[in-house]
Amino acid sequence: MDLDFTPVLDSGWFLVGGLGLTLALSVLTIVCSLLLGGALGLVRCYGPGWLRWPIVFYIDSMRAVPVLVVLVWTYFALPIVTGFVLPPFWAALVALTAHISAYVAEIVRAGVTSIRPGQTRAALALGMSRWRTIRSIVLPQAVVRMLPAFGSILSIAIKDTAIAAVIAVPEYMNRSQTVAGQSFHPIEVFTVAMAVYFVILFPVTRVVDMVYVRLAHLGRS
Amino acid sequence: MSAAAEARVNAGRAADSVPTLIYRNVVKRFDSLTVLNGVSMEVRHKEVVCLIGPSGSGKSTLLRCTNGLELIDEGQVVFDGKPLPRDWNGMRRMRRRMGMVFQNFELFPHKTALGNVAIGPMAVLATSRERAEAQAQALLAKVGLADKSASYPFQLSGGQQQRVAIARALAMEPEVMLFDEPTSALDPETIGEVLNVMKQLAEEGMTMLVVTHEMTFAHRVADWVVVMDRGTIIEQGPPRQIFQAPTVERTRSFLSHLGWSG
Amino acid sequence: MTFDWSVVWRNAGALLQGVELTVLLAVTTMLISIPGGIVLALMRLSHVRALSAASAAFVELFRNLPLILVVYSAYYVMPVATGLNLSPLTTGIVALSLNVSAYNGETFRAGIASIRKGQTEAAYALGMGRWQTMKEIVLPQAVRRVLPVLASTWVSLFKDTSLVSVISVDELAYTSMRIRAQTFRVLEMLTAMAAIYWLLGYPQAKLVDWINRRYGVKE
């Protein structure tokens, strides 16, 4: 098996452009998912009862359906329903956010409910308002406990952007496919792709682990 | 220890009894901490020896060095006339001849009481299932739990679990039984039932080395008591001496701290 | 805009076959990946440095690669590397198995490590050997511990089978999108695809919740 990596190098800038889009999509997805998922999780824990079951239904539905299906439906079917066409990047952002925020909501719920009721009672006994209690006592501890799970969300978000290749988002996976198809050297192209993704993903979980180890004591009660 | 020193220390013990276990200047270190600092003692055939002393004195470590769960750094442990081997497989063969009972019982939660008692002979001695289970049933009856043979550990009280653990160790027909604080994790109500089983074993002539805080038990059942503190033996002798007329000040203060009034 | 939902009923047979293949993919992968995960965990815990390092490297590699990339790579690399001409289905199973085995490897390692040291000591005290202790005492308990995590992994796997559609394996996603291309009924077919996955996946997710409640280890 003789490998020829020159086609990869020749298309270097093309691929780097794709990588930039991968990172942009990842970051935006993560930010939006944290916001939406965080909101959903908090409303589920503290909000009015009638909002809970739609949120639970939404979360469970996103757990049941593959990311690929959500991506494809958002890009191809949603325009038919709304009459409004989303370009691939934004369709991917919407779909990925919708999917991942469900997991974030679950993490938030698990983190908040892991704080012993005694903590809340102690805060209320001191005279704090319910909202103040949540903000100053429950959430800080809960957030520390959620860190490892958030780390895996980061990893999942970056990996899922690769699936957006399927709806023609010109991110790194998609561009690798293009180069592979044109150069007839798929092995080299995909080997480089594997190295690139590994180099991005491996540190992400490590850094989160390290941050958690530093902060873990703040979440113990 | 010189022969004369040994004779002095062991005065008060039956002169013709054979030692099952001999510890000669045993040293054990964990990183920079010396946990056992030259421990020398004997456990004789059919004797009940109780090891007492404050926490951290090395009592449990000495026990674990006896059946090879820990390896000693210096000195010798002699079992049945031969020093303990230092390789895993050799040690494994030795362990079959010793029984150990743990503070936390350590019953296997996925097996019934009968299963727990039978697994030793089945797995290690290649005993057939029928024979192993019949023997197990008999042993459970001996410790007073014949009707609990089909129960799982989580369905049993602490005292019951510990009695199953004793039966499990006995199933291997050991030559010596090692007890590592067998009642420390029990509720006061259940301590008695376990101590009674141990007393019965002693009366039947089992050689026993018991690490314990139960001074009444040591006083009544032990043939020999060894007091340890910070990795060394500070005093050893018959229970009468240790509990009623200790010769070493530290023994006196340790016992009085436990509220022992003789 | 008119919708023709009958296209779904007319192609129900093909869709059902797609579902069958999805299930086949998931089941086969799990059957390979559970032993695979146990082997990787045992390697990781072994005293032999080479085995431990190899297992750690394998697990880290496949946990840090997008599955869709592994699928494509398997498709192009395997014929060249093995000299065999494997069907897309087999390639898909290989890719999925590599991925899920890595996750299971970590799951089983954590499960085995969570068994108290006292359990192995009690087994050794009876005279049992290392392998015997693993087989009779540690693994049976570890498997019970990891059951909730394995259930979650199963649900993820079930959804991930959709990714092998990119190498033309005829499972549910590929079949649905093929029919969409043939009939031009985009909304109907894509919604049907989503609905079928939902119908299959929702009960599975609820089952995982139940397993977690029943068998989850409470700290």
Side-chain angles (χ1 to χ4, degrees):
Chain A
M1 183 166 65
D2 49 353
L3 298 170
D4 178 20
F5 283 92
T6 49
V8 181
L9 293 171
D10 290 341
S11 309
W13 286 117
F14 181 67
L15 289 172
V16 168
L19 189 58
L21 218 62
T22 292
L23 294 172
L25 183 57
S26 303
V27 169
L28 281 175
T29 300
I30 289 166
V31 168
C32 295
S33 302
L34 287 177
L35 289 172
L36 179 60
L40 286 173
L42 287 176
V43 170
R44 180 166 169 196
C45 289
Y46 296 112
W50 57 269
L51 263 182
R52 271 175 220 189
W53 88 255
I55 293 182
V56 172
F57 180 77
Y58 171 80
I59 292 174
D60 286 339
S61 298
M62 284 299 158
R63 284 168 68 200
V65 176
V67 177
L68 175 68
V69 172
V70 179
L71 273 166
V72 167
W73 197 92
T74 307
Y75 185 57
F76 292 111
L78 190 60
I80 299 178
V81 173
T82 61
F84 183 68
V85 176
L86 278 171
F89 182 89
W90 301 104
L93 180 61
V94 167
L96 290 175
T97 302
H99 195 257
I100 293 176
S101 55
Y103 291 102
V104 173
E106 265 305 281
I107 292 171
V108 168
R109 186 190 62 83
V112 167
T113 54
S114 79
I115 307 296
R116 283 180 302 117
Q119 291 281 298
T120 313
R121 275 184 242 136
L124 292 172
L126 284 170
M128 284 195 209
S129 74
R130 200 160 128 84
W131 174 235
R132 192 69 213 273
T133 304
I134 296 172
R135 207 165 55 104
S136 310
I137 307 298
V138 176
L139 280 185
Q141 293 185 58
V143 166
V144 172
R145 292 186 192 189
M146 298 182 227
L147 279 178
F150 281 147
S152 69
I153 291 290
L154 290 180
S155 178
I156 289 171
I158 299 172
K159 285 190 262 184
D160 282 354
T161 59
I163 309 179
V166 165
I167 58 169
V169 177
E171 44 70 62
Y172 189 78
M173 183 74 222
N174 181 291
R175 292 215 162 162
S176 293
Q177 278 175 272
T178 310
V179 174
Q182 285 172 348
S183 67
F184 297 101
H185 282 98
I187 298 176
E188 294 87 330
V189 174
F190 288 127
T191 307
V192 171
M194 289 203 278
V196 167
Y197 274 108
F198 185 81
V199 162
I200 297 174
L201 286 165
F202 185 73
V204 166
T205 23
R206 289 287 156 273
V207 166
V208 174
D209 281 346
M210 286 195 314
V211 170
Y212 177 68
V213 164
R214 292 278 163 85
L215 297 179
H217 63 281
L218 296 174
R220 259 177 224 141
S221 61
Chain B
M1 256 199 286
S2 68
E6 272 192 46
R8 249 183 291 123
V9 167
N10 290 307
R13 269 168 140 160
D16 57 347
S17 58
V18 172
T20 304
L21 282 167
I22 307 176
Y23 302 85
R24 292 206 182 101
N25 283 313
V26 172
V27 175
K28 173 69 190 166
R29 292 183 206 99
F30 287 112
D31 296 327
S32 55
L33 187 67
T34 306
V35 176
L36 292 174
N37 204 352
V39 171
S40 298
M41 58 175 261
E42 289 178 13
V43 177
R44 299 223 176 141
H45 194 46
K46 291 190 196 278
E47 248 189 355
V48 175
V49 175
C50 282
L51 262 180
I52 65 175
S55 313
S57 52
K59 318 187 292 292
S60 290
T61 310
L62 188 68
L63 217 65
R64 292 158 61 84
C65 288
T66 310
N67 74 347
L69 289 179
E70 307 281 359
L71 286 176
I72 59 177
D73 293 312
E74 287 170 40
Q76 246 190 1
V77 179
V78 178
F79 175 56
D80 193 27
K82 294 193 213 62
L84 288 182
R86 296 189 65 82
D87 66 301
W88 174 263
N89 279 314
M91 215 37 250
R92 215 183 113 185
R93 280 189 289 272
M94 288 300 122
R95 286 194 204 116
R96 292 178 198 184
R97 300 163 62 192
M98 305 184 201
M100 185 171 236
V101 177
F102 296 81
Q103 182 176 347
N104 290 311
F105 337 133
E106 297 297 353
L107 289 182
F108 305 130
H110 56 303
K111 293 189 178 296
T112 59
L114 193 75
N116 264 279
V117 179
I119 190 169
M122 285 201 315
V124 182
L125 304 175
T127 314
S128 73
R129 177 178 279 274
E130 301 80 46
R131 259 197 75 188
E133 288 187 349
Q135 285 172 346
Q137 187 66 42
L139 280 168
L140 283 172
K142 184 182 157 87
V143 300
L145 290 169
D147 55 331
K148 297 284 185 192
S149 57
S151 302
Y152 283 90
F154 77 93
Q155 295 168 307
L156 300 172
S157 75
Q160 290 169 331
Q161 288 188 56
Q162 194 63 299
R163 283 188 277 155
V164 174
I166 295 175
R168 179 176 66 178
L170 290 174
M172 298 295 291
E173 293 177 29
E175 295 160 44
V176 60
M177 284 283 280
L178 308 169
F179 290 84
D180 192 355
E181 300 201 31
T183 56
S184 294
L186 294 178
D187 291 328
E189 310 91 62
T190 49
I191 291 180
E193 62 195 52
V194 173
L195 291 179
N196 280 334
V197 169
M198 290 167 67
K199 184 156 167 288
Q200 191 192 334
L201 268 181
E203 281 161 13
E204 288 166 9
M206 174 63 77
T207 312
M208 292 162 61
L209 178 54
V210 183
V211 173
T212 185
H213 290 300
E214 293 293 324
M215 298 303 155
T216 319
F217 174 83
H219 192 175
R220 292 219 190 106
V221 180
D223 298 305
W224 196 253
V225 177
V226 176
V227 187
M228 282 184 70
D229 187 14
R230 275 172 279 186
T232 54
I233 295 178
I234 58 174
E235 188 169 355
Q236 54 176 314
R240 206 183 341 106
Q241 170 198 330
I242 301 294
F243 292 109
Q244 282 162 316
T247 59
V248 177
E249 179 54 40
R250 263 191 291 169
T251 309
R252 247 192 291 264
S253 63
F254 165 65
L255 288 172
S256 71
H257 273 135
L258 285 182
W260 176 261
S261 52
Chain C
M1 179 106 260
T2 53
F3 297 125
D4 175 21
W5 294 96
S6 68
V7 68
V8 179
W9 317 124
R10 273 184 275 131
N11 290 287
L15 287 170
L16 195 62
Q17 281 185 322
V19 171
E20 280 172 16
L21 206 61
T22 294
V23 172
L24 175 74
L25 279 164
V27 169
T28 313
T29 302
M30 234 353 164
L31 285 176
I32 297 173
S33 303
I34 288 181
I38 295 179
V39 166
L40 282 168
L42 291 176
M43 280 172 66
R44 185 80 174 85
L45 295 167
S46 149
H47 296 293
V48 180
R49 274 285 207 84
L51 287 177
S52 176
S55 169
F58 181 94
V59 168
E60 275 311 312
L61 178 66
F62 284 102
R63 286 178 68 200
N64 285 302
L65 291 177
L67 180 52
I68 190 171
L69 176 57
V70 175
V71 169
Y72 274 119
S73 301
Y75 186 69
Y76 289 108
V77 173
M78 274 187 20
V80 178
T82 63
L84 300 166
N85 225 329
L86 294 168
S87 70
L89 177 62
T90 318
T91 310
I93 293 176
V94 168
L96 287 168
S97 299
L98 288 170
N99 180 271
V100 179
S101 294
Y103 279 99
N104 283 352
E106 180 53 24
T107 303
F108 278 110
R109 187 203 60 78
I112 290 172
S114 77
I115 305 299
R116 270 204 324 261
K117 198 173 137 207
Q119 288 284 294
T120 49
E121 286 181 350
Y124 293 162
L126 286 170
M128 286 169 76
R130 283 207 184 101
W131 177 237
Q132 247 184 344
T133 302
M134 184 58 73
K135 193 168 74 101
E136 299 278 343
I137 307 301
V138 177
L139 277 181
Q141 292 187 60
V143 169
R144 250 158 259 232
R145 281 281 163 94
V146 304
L147 204 60
V149 182
L150 283 182
S152 280
T153 305
W154 162 265
V155 174
S156 294
L157 167 59
F158 195 83
K159 295 188 290 175
D160 285 343
T161 55
S162 59
L163 292 177
V164 305
S165 61
V166 303
I167 56 171
S168 311
V169 178
D170 243 337
E171 41 69 66
L172 178 58
Y174 183 79
T175 307
S176 312
M177 294 200 275
R178 175 171 56 82
I179 300 172
R180 172 199 66 165
Q182 285 169 346
T183 64
F184 298 101
R185 304 258 59 123
V186 175
L187 178 67
E188 296 89 325
M189 285 317 300
L190 293 184
T191 309
M193 171 173 73
I196 297 175
Y197 271 110
W198 187 92
L199 281 169
L200 294 169
Y202 200 90
Q204 290 183 53
K206 283 327 217 177
L207 192 64
V208 169
D209 283 344
W210 176 81
I211 291 179
N212 261 302
R213 273 196 305 269
R214 187 106 171 357
Y215 292 100
V217 177
K218 311 279 184 292
E219 294 301 322

